[in-house]
Each structure stands twice: as C-alpha cells, then as structure tokens.
Amino acid sequence: MADFVLNCNMLLAIVFLLVGFVFLVKGADIFVEGSSSIAKKFHVPSIIIGLTIVAMGTSLPEAAVSVTASLANRNTLAVSNVVGSNIFNLMVVIGMCAVLTPVAVQKSTLKKDFPFSVFCAVLLLVLGLIGPMQLGHVDGAIFLVLFALFIFSMIRSALQANREGKKAESEEIESVEEMKIMSLPKSLIFIVLGAAGIIVGGDVVVNSASNIATRLGMSQTLVGLTIVSIGTSLPELVTSVVAARKNEVDMALGNAIGSNIFNILMVLGIAGAISPMAFLTENIIDIVVLLVFSVIVWIFAWTKEKLNRREGIGMLLLYAIYVVYICMR
C-alpha cells in the first residue's frame, strides 16, 4: 500500500492526502473521546483529563506525521511540519479570530505561556545547531522531560485555582465536563479505532505528501511547511473561526500557544526519541521566523491585553509574505 501511494499519479496522491488528513483528525477525536471516557469512569478529575488527554489530542495529527516521517527516513518533513503548524496556529488561526472579533488575552498567557513558547523555540534552534545539525535521542529525551514538567505545572496551577474557588480556564476542561461516559468496551473500541486511524492517516499523509513533493519538484521541507502543516492545523482553524463567530474566543490565544508548546516538546520529543531527525538550514530560518512572529504577536497582545482586527489583518499579511518567501527560496 505504501509503495502504491508513493508511486501513484498526482490526482490520486492528492486524494490520498485528503483521506489521510480525515483519518488523522477523526482518529485523534475518537481516541481522545475513548481515553477521556475511561479516565472519567475511574473518577480522574476533569482538570487532569482536559490538560493531558484532550490537550494532547490536538497535537496527535502532527505527532503521527512527524513520527511516521522520522521512521520512514523522510525526517526533514518531521521538523518542518511542527514549525509550519506553529506558525500557522499563531498567525492564521489567531489572526483570523482577531479579524472576526477582538481576542482577549489572559495575563497568564502573557506572563507564562508566551515566554515559555519562545524558550521552547529557542531550545529547538540551539539543540538542532549543536546536534550537529540533527535532533537525536538525547534531544528528544530533553524535550519529553520538559513536556512532563510543563504538564505537571499546568495541572498544579489548575488544581490550585480550583482550591481557591476560581474556575480553571481551558476549552479542553470544558469539553471534558460536557463529555458523556461510555461503557468500558465501547471506550476501548474507540481507543483502538482512533489509534488505528492516527497510524494509517500519518502513514498515508507522509507517503502522499512525499509523492506530491517529488512530482512538483518541491522539497520535503516546503511540503511540510505548507500542505502538511496547514492540513494538520485545519481543525484548530475551523474550531476557532466558529468560536469567533459566537464571540467565544476568550481562550483562543492561550490554547494556540499551548498547542505550539505541545508540538515542540511532545511531537518532536517523541519523534527524536524514536529516530534522529535531520536539521536543515531552512529549518533554522523558519524557527527564527517563528521567534520573530511570536515576539510580534506578544507585543500586539500586551497593548490593551487584546488583539484587534487591524492586528489580525497584519498577522495574516505577515503569514502571506512568509508563504511567498518559502515558495520562492
């Protein structure tokens, strides 16, 4: 099957890519639903389920693509997929929300999450450069340790807020509270089907994207930064736009920044721990772009503690300029 997807004609490769995205997204949704249901059945608090299983679920498509690419020795796709997804989340998902309605910014996002996301990007750049020019097993382990500490810190802060009578603000926690508990056999079936969908989807996306890259004369890095990263981030874009139309984007920026932290620490941590990934000159430039964009959005967010329409349009224009640049280089 893999050989067929790698060698089929252009039209079929595009169809397989779309099918792969569907498998990835639906697989992640089903896996999260089954896992969360089992956790609720064993009386795990909604806060912990939301900040672990559900929050990680949004990064499962990126994880599947990066791990599959790493295992298939097409690992330039692994790093570019994560960096491209992070840039898209930050500039397009949040930019689109800001165009539709002002995006409020929480103080915790400005003071803790933003600086930590910048630190993660800087760490990725440093580890890639001293590799030499690769992310290896040790780098993956460093990311995973930091990821565990980040999760622990999030849970501790949320539990402390609950003890003080405050509501821990997170869309993930809210979604868990609304979730119905399924029977144990049904939950297990959901987990197995979800995991299968993620594995198959990741494999199909990587192979079809490689096929398209070869036929169009595009580099794996360019495909990862554009087609694959946008495809794996589309669910976040759709969800955020729907929320913006309902004026429910209070947590949008915080969730996008959290997703970007998960992508670097969890996705590249797992991929690097499994198989070393090449780190190209293009990756260095793209991570620097991510850092510059992060600082720009951070500055926008500090002004009046919200992102307005003008700033949203500016973010979308910056992303458009970046896409033109990566297509031309």
Tab-separated table of all heavy atoms in Angstrom, residues 117-158:
chain	number	residue	atom	x	y	z
A	117	SER	N	6.824	29.478	25.398
A	117	SER	CA	6.772	29.040	23.993
A	117	SER	C	7.981	29.570	23.226
A	117	SER	O	8.541	28.881	22.371
A	117	SER	CB	5.464	29.497	23.321
A	117	SER	OG	5.464	30.889	23.103
A	118	VAL	N	8.397	30.812	23.535
A	118	VAL	CA	9.601	31.381	22.914
A	118	VAL	C	10.838	30.595	23.357
A	118	VAL	O	11.709	30.275	22.540
A	118	VAL	CB	9.743	32.878	23.281
A	118	VAL	CG1	11.103	33.418	22.850
A	118	VAL	CG2	8.627	33.693	22.640
A	119	PHE	N	10.892	30.244	24.638
A	119	PHE	CA	12.006	29.438	25.158
A	119	PHE	C	12.089	28.088	24.434
A	119	PHE	O	13.179	27.636	24.070
A	119	PHE	CB	11.838	29.222	26.668
A	119	PHE	CG	12.734	28.146	27.230
A	119	PHE	CD1	14.089	28.385	27.439
A	119	PHE	CD2	12.222	26.882	27.524
A	119	PHE	CE1	14.925	27.379	27.934
A	119	PHE	CE2	13.049	25.879	28.019
A	119	PHE	CZ	14.394	26.126	28.225
A	120	CYS	N	10.932	27.450	24.217
A	120	CYS	CA	10.903	26.140	23.528
A	120	CYS	C	11.447	26.261	22.109
A	120	CYS	O	12.198	25.393	21.646
A	120	CYS	CB	9.478	25.584	23.500
A	120	CYS	SG	8.861	25.061	25.107
A	121	ALA	N	11.059	27.334	21.401
A	121	ALA	CA	11.548	27.550	20.028
A	121	ALA	C	13.056	27.803	20.024
A	121	ALA	O	13.776	27.291	19.160
A	121	ALA	CB	10.799	28.708	19.388
A	122	VAL	N	13.536	28.598	20.999
A	122	VAL	CA	14.983	28.861	21.109
A	122	VAL	C	15.733	27.567	21.407
A	122	VAL	O	16.787	27.287	20.815
A	122	VAL	CB	15.270	29.920	22.204
A	122	VAL	CG1	16.770	30.012	22.482
A	122	VAL	CG2	14.726	31.280	21.789
A	123	LEU	N	15.179	26.749	22.311
A	123	LEU	CA	15.802	25.470	22.658
A	123	LEU	C	15.867	24.552	21.435
A	123	LEU	O	16.894	23.891	21.201
A	123	LEU	CB	15.015	24.795	23.783
A	123	LEU	CG	15.572	23.457	24.290
A	123	LEU	CD1	16.936	23.649	24.942
A	123	LEU	CD2	14.609	22.801	25.279
A	124	LEU	N	14.801	24.521	20.648
A	124	LEU	CA	14.785	23.719	19.419
A	124	LEU	C	15.900	24.166	18.484
A	124	LEU	O	16.623	23.333	17.917
A	124	LEU	CB	13.421	23.863	18.725
A	124	LEU	CG	13.275	23.244	17.330
A	124	LEU	CD1	13.524	21.740	17.366
A	124	LEU	CD2	11.889	23.542	16.757
A	125	LEU	N	16.058	25.471	18.343
A	125	LEU	CA	17.107	26.032	17.484
A	125	LEU	C	18.498	25.648	17.993
A	125	LEU	O	19.347	25.181	17.224
A	125	LEU	CB	16.962	27.559	17.448
A	125	LEU	CG	17.870	28.340	16.502
A	125	LEU	CD1	17.620	27.946	15.052
A	125	LEU	CD2	17.656	29.839	16.681
A	126	VAL	N	18.721	25.797	19.294
A	126	VAL	CA	20.037	25.509	19.893
A	126	VAL	C	20.370	24.016	19.775
A	126	VAL	O	21.478	23.648	19.344
A	126	VAL	CB	20.072	25.951	21.377
A	126	VAL	CG1	21.336	25.444	22.066
A	126	VAL	CG2	19.985	27.471	21.472
A	127	LEU	N	19.426	23.150	20.135
A	127	LEU	CA	19.676	21.701	20.088
A	127	LEU	C	19.919	21.229	18.656
A	127	LEU	O	20.738	20.342	18.410
A	127	LEU	CB	18.509	20.930	20.710
A	127	LEU	CG	18.330	21.078	22.224
A	127	LEU	CD1	17.110	20.282	22.705
A	127	LEU	CD2	19.572	20.628	22.984
A	128	GLY	N	19.185	21.828	17.702
A	128	GLY	CA	19.386	21.469	16.299
A	128	GLY	C	20.758	21.874	15.791
A	128	GLY	O	21.399	21.141	15.033
A	129	LEU	N	21.238	23.034	16.246
A	129	LEU	CA	22.542	23.538	15.793
A	129	LEU	C	23.717	22.786	16.404
A	129	LEU	O	24.751	22.602	15.755
A	129	LEU	CB	22.667	25.031	16.133
A	129	LEU	CG	21.819	25.981	15.278
A	129	LEU	CD1	21.857	27.384	15.849
A	129	LEU	CD2	22.298	25.983	13.837
A	130	ILE	N	23.567	22.327	17.661
A	130	ILE	CA	24.701	21.648	18.314
A	130	ILE	C	24.645	20.143	18.110
A	130	ILE	O	25.444	19.416	18.667
A	130	ILE	CB	24.765	21.976	19.829
A	130	ILE	CG1	23.527	21.456	20.567
A	130	ILE	CG2	24.949	23.454	20.055
A	130	ILE	CD1	23.583	21.630	22.075
A	131	GLY	N	23.706	19.684	17.277
A	131	GLY	CA	23.409	18.257	17.066
A	131	GLY	C	24.521	17.304	16.696
A	131	GLY	O	24.687	16.303	17.336
A	132	PRO	N	25.386	17.424	15.695
A	132	PRO	CA	25.450	18.573	14.787
A	132	PRO	C	24.373	18.473	13.704
A	132	PRO	O	24.270	17.447	13.038
A	132	PRO	CB	26.855	18.455	14.192
A	132	PRO	CG	27.156	16.990	14.243
A	132	PRO	CD	26.402	16.413	15.401
A	133	MET	N	23.597	19.534	13.559
A	133	MET	CA	22.541	19.674	12.559
A	133	MET	C	21.592	18.476	12.528
A	133	MET	O	21.198	17.997	11.471
A	133	MET	CB	23.139	19.917	11.173
A	133	MET	CG	23.863	21.246	11.060
A	133	MET	SD	22.846	22.696	11.439
A	133	MET	CE	21.893	22.835	9.953
A	134	GLN	N	21.257	17.980	13.719
A	134	GLN	CA	20.203	16.966	13.812
A	134	GLN	C	19.630	16.961	15.227
A	134	GLN	O	20.261	17.424	16.171
A	134	GLN	CB	20.711	15.576	13.452
A	134	GLN	CG	21.584	14.911	14.498
A	134	GLN	CD	21.771	13.424	14.231
A	134	GLN	OE1	21.506	12.935	13.149
A	134	GLN	NE2	22.241	12.703	15.234
A	135	LEU	N	18.394	16.459	15.330
A	135	LEU	CA	17.769	16.256	16.638
A	135	LEU	C	17.823	14.764	16.923
A	135	LEU	O	17.194	13.978	16.221
A	135	LEU	CB	16.321	16.764	16.629
A	135	LEU	CG	16.126	18.282	16.511
A	135	LEU	CD1	14.668	18.605	16.233
A	135	LEU	CD2	16.584	18.979	17.786
A	136	GLY	N	18.590	14.384	17.925
A	136	GLY	CA	18.798	12.965	18.209
A	136	GLY	C	18.008	12.465	19.413
A	136	GLY	O	17.106	13.135	19.912
A	137	HIS	N	18.385	11.275	19.892
A	137	HIS	CA	17.687	10.638	21.008
A	137	HIS	C	17.767	11.479	22.281
A	137	HIS	O	16.778	11.613	22.999
A	137	HIS	CB	18.282	9.253	21.271
A	137	HIS	CG	18.183	8.322	20.096
A	137	HIS	ND1	16.977	7.993	19.526
A	137	HIS	CD2	19.134	7.645	19.386
A	137	HIS	CE1	17.185	7.160	18.513
A	137	HIS	NE2	18.486	6.942	18.405
A	138	VAL	N	18.935	12.036	22.558
A	138	VAL	CA	19.116	12.850	23.776
A	138	VAL	C	18.243	14.108	23.700
A	138	VAL	O	17.602	14.490	24.686
A	138	VAL	CB	20.597	13.234	23.981
A	138	VAL	CG1	20.754	14.181	25.168
A	138	VAL	CG2	21.450	11.984	24.192
A	139	ASP	N	18.222	14.743	22.531
A	139	ASP	CA	17.391	15.945	22.343
A	139	ASP	C	15.915	15.607	22.573
A	139	ASP	O	15.183	16.362	23.223
A	139	ASP	CB	17.578	16.517	20.938
A	139	ASP	CG	19.025	16.870	20.649
A	139	ASP	OD1	19.692	17.392	21.550
A	139	ASP	OD2	19.486	16.592	19.523
A	140	GLY	N	15.474	14.470	22.010
A	140	GLY	CA	14.095	14.022	22.204
A	140	GLY	C	13.787	13.813	23.679
A	140	GLY	O	12.718	14.205	24.170
A	141	ALA	N	14.735	13.210	24.400
A	141	ALA	CA	14.556	12.967	25.835
A	141	ALA	C	14.443	14.283	26.605
A	141	ALA	O	13.617	14.422	27.519
A	141	ALA	CB	15.716	12.135	26.380
A	142	ILE	N	15.261	15.276	26.228
A	142	ILE	CA	15.214	16.598	26.878
A	142	ILE	C	13.833	17.230	26.680
A	142	ILE	O	13.219	17.752	27.618
A	142	ILE	CB	16.322	17.523	26.317
A	142	ILE	CG1	17.700	17.034	26.769
A	142	ILE	CG2	16.099	18.976	26.766
A	142	ILE	CD1	18.860	17.726	26.066
A	143	PHE	N	13.335	17.167	25.448
A	143	PHE	CA	12.004	17.719	25.153
A	143	PHE	C	10.921	17.021	25.981
A	143	PHE	O	10.024	17.673	26.525
A	143	PHE	CB	11.672	17.574	23.661
A	143	PHE	CG	12.329	18.604	22.780
A	143	PHE	CD1	12.787	18.260	21.515
A	143	PHE	CD2	12.490	19.910	23.206
A	143	PHE	CE1	13.389	19.212	20.695
A	143	PHE	CE2	13.094	20.873	22.395
A	143	PHE	CZ	13.532	20.519	21.136
A	144	LEU	N	10.993	15.684	26.083
A	144	LEU	CA	9.966	14.931	26.805
A	144	LEU	C	9.992	15.213	28.303
A	144	LEU	O	8.943	15.280	28.950
A	144	LEU	CB	10.124	13.424	26.537
A	144	LEU	CG	9.757	12.987	25.112
A	144	LEU	CD1	10.050	11.501	24.911
A	144	LEU	CD2	8.275	13.272	24.815
A	145	VAL	N	11.187	15.391	28.866
A	145	VAL	CA	11.300	15.751	30.294
A	145	VAL	C	10.680	17.123	30.527
A	145	VAL	O	9.906	17.321	31.480
A	145	VAL	CB	12.777	15.730	30.759
A	145	VAL	CG1	12.913	16.365	32.143
A	145	VAL	CG2	13.305	14.295	30.788
A	146	LEU	N	10.995	18.072	29.657
A	146	LEU	CA	10.411	19.417	29.772
A	146	LEU	C	8.895	19.376	29.602
A	146	LEU	O	8.158	20.094	30.284
A	146	LEU	CB	11.008	20.352	28.708
A	146	LEU	CG	12.351	20.999	29.051
A	146	LEU	CD1	12.888	21.763	27.845
A	146	LEU	CD2	12.213	21.949	30.235
A	147	PHE	N	8.437	18.512	28.699
A	147	PHE	CA	6.999	18.356	28.462
A	147	PHE	C	6.301	17.842	29.725
A	147	PHE	O	5.248	18.364	30.119
A	147	PHE	CB	6.768	17.391	27.295
A	147	PHE	CG	5.312	17.127	26.998
A	147	PHE	CD1	4.503	18.146	26.531
A	147	PHE	CD2	4.765	15.875	27.184
A	147	PHE	CE1	3.156	17.918	26.256
A	147	PHE	CE2	3.431	15.633	26.914
A	147	PHE	CZ	2.627	16.657	26.442
A	148	ALA	N	6.897	16.844	30.371
A	148	ALA	CA	6.329	16.294	31.614
A	148	ALA	C	6.263	17.381	32.699
A	148	ALA	O	5.258	17.497	33.415
A	148	ALA	CB	7.161	15.112	32.098
A	149	LEU	N	7.321	18.185	32.809
A	149	LEU	CA	7.355	19.273	33.795
A	149	LEU	C	6.297	20.334	33.474
A	149	LEU	O	5.654	20.878	34.377
A	149	LEU	CB	8.749	19.918	33.830
A	149	LEU	CG	9.883	19.046	34.387
A	149	LEU	CD1	11.241	19.726	34.185
A	149	LEU	CD2	9.659	18.754	35.877
A	150	PHE	N	6.117	20.626	32.178
A	150	PHE	CA	5.114	21.608	31.748
A	150	PHE	C	3.704	21.129	32.110
A	150	PHE	O	2.892	21.903	32.632
A	150	PHE	CB	5.241	21.838	30.238
A	150	PHE	CG	4.197	22.755	29.656
A	150	PHE	CD1	4.145	24.094	30.016
A	150	PHE	CD2	3.269	22.275	28.743
A	150	PHE	CE1	3.181	24.949	29.478
A	150	PHE	CE2	2.308	23.118	28.203
A	150	PHE	CZ	2.265	24.452	28.568
A	151	ILE	N	3.419	19.850	31.824
A	151	ILE	CA	2.110	19.279	32.154
A	151	ILE	C	1.874	19.329	33.663
A	151	ILE	O	0.794	19.701	34.137
A	151	ILE	CB	2.011	17.813	31.652
A	151	ILE	CG1	1.947	17.775	30.125
A	151	ILE	CG2	0.796	17.103	32.245
A	151	ILE	CD1	0.650	18.262	29.543
A	152	PHE	N	2.898	18.935	34.430
A	152	PHE	CA	2.798	18.950	35.895
A	152	PHE	C	2.495	20.359	36.398
A	152	PHE	O	1.640	20.562	37.270
A	152	PHE	CB	4.107	18.435	36.515
A	152	PHE	CG	4.151	18.522	38.012
A	152	PHE	CD1	3.446	17.625	38.801
A	152	PHE	CD2	4.897	19.526	38.643
A	152	PHE	CE1	3.476	17.717	40.182
A	152	PHE	CE2	4.935	19.624	40.020
A	152	PHE	CZ	4.220	18.717	40.797
A	153	SER	N	3.179	21.361	35.826
A	153	SER	CA	2.980	22.755	36.221
A	153	SER	C	1.559	23.220	35.898
A	153	SER	O	0.912	23.902	36.699
A	153	SER	CB	3.998	23.638	35.498
A	153	SER	OG	3.721	25.000	35.688
A	154	MET	N	1.046	22.845	34.721
A	154	MET	CA	-0.314	23.209	34.313
A	154	MET	C	-1.351	22.619	35.262
A	154	MET	O	-2.274	23.313	35.696
A	154	MET	CB	-0.592	22.706	32.885
A	154	MET	CG	-0.021	23.574	31.781
A	154	MET	SD	-0.195	22.806	30.161
A	154	MET	CE	-1.943	22.558	30.038
A	155	ILE	N	-1.184	21.332	35.577
A	155	ILE	CA	-2.148	20.660	36.461
A	155	ILE	C	-2.111	21.272	37.858
A	155	ILE	O	-3.153	21.525	38.470
A	155	ILE	CB	-1.862	19.139	36.514
A	155	ILE	CG1	-2.174	18.510	35.153
A	155	ILE	CG2	-2.679	18.464	37.618
A	155	ILE	CD1	-1.736	17.065	35.018
A	156	ARG	N	-0.901	21.543	38.353
A	156	ARG	CA	-0.764	22.119	39.696
A	156	ARG	C	-1.423	23.497	39.768
A	156	ARG	O	-2.155	23.803	40.724
A	156	ARG	CB	0.718	22.234	40.077
A	156	ARG	CG	0.936	22.593	41.551
A	156	ARG	CD	2.408	22.635	41.898
A	156	ARG	NE	3.109	23.688	41.160
A	156	ARG	CZ	4.389	23.992	41.341
A	156	ARG	NH1	5.124	23.303	42.208
A	156	ARG	NH2	4.963	24.944	40.648
A	157	SER	N	-1.222	24.321	38.725
A	157	SER	CA	-1.834	25.657	38.694
A	157	SER	C	-3.358	25.563	38.646
A	157	SER	O	-4.062	26.316	39.320
A	157	SER	CB	-1.341	26.454	37.482
A	157	SER	OG	0.045	26.656	37.546
A	158	ALA	N	-3.864	24.622	37.830
A	158	ALA	CA	-5.314	24.458	37.695
A	158	ALA	C	-5.944	23.965	38.994
A	158	ALA	O	-7.008	24.440	39.406
A	158	ALA	CB	-5.624	23.480	36.558
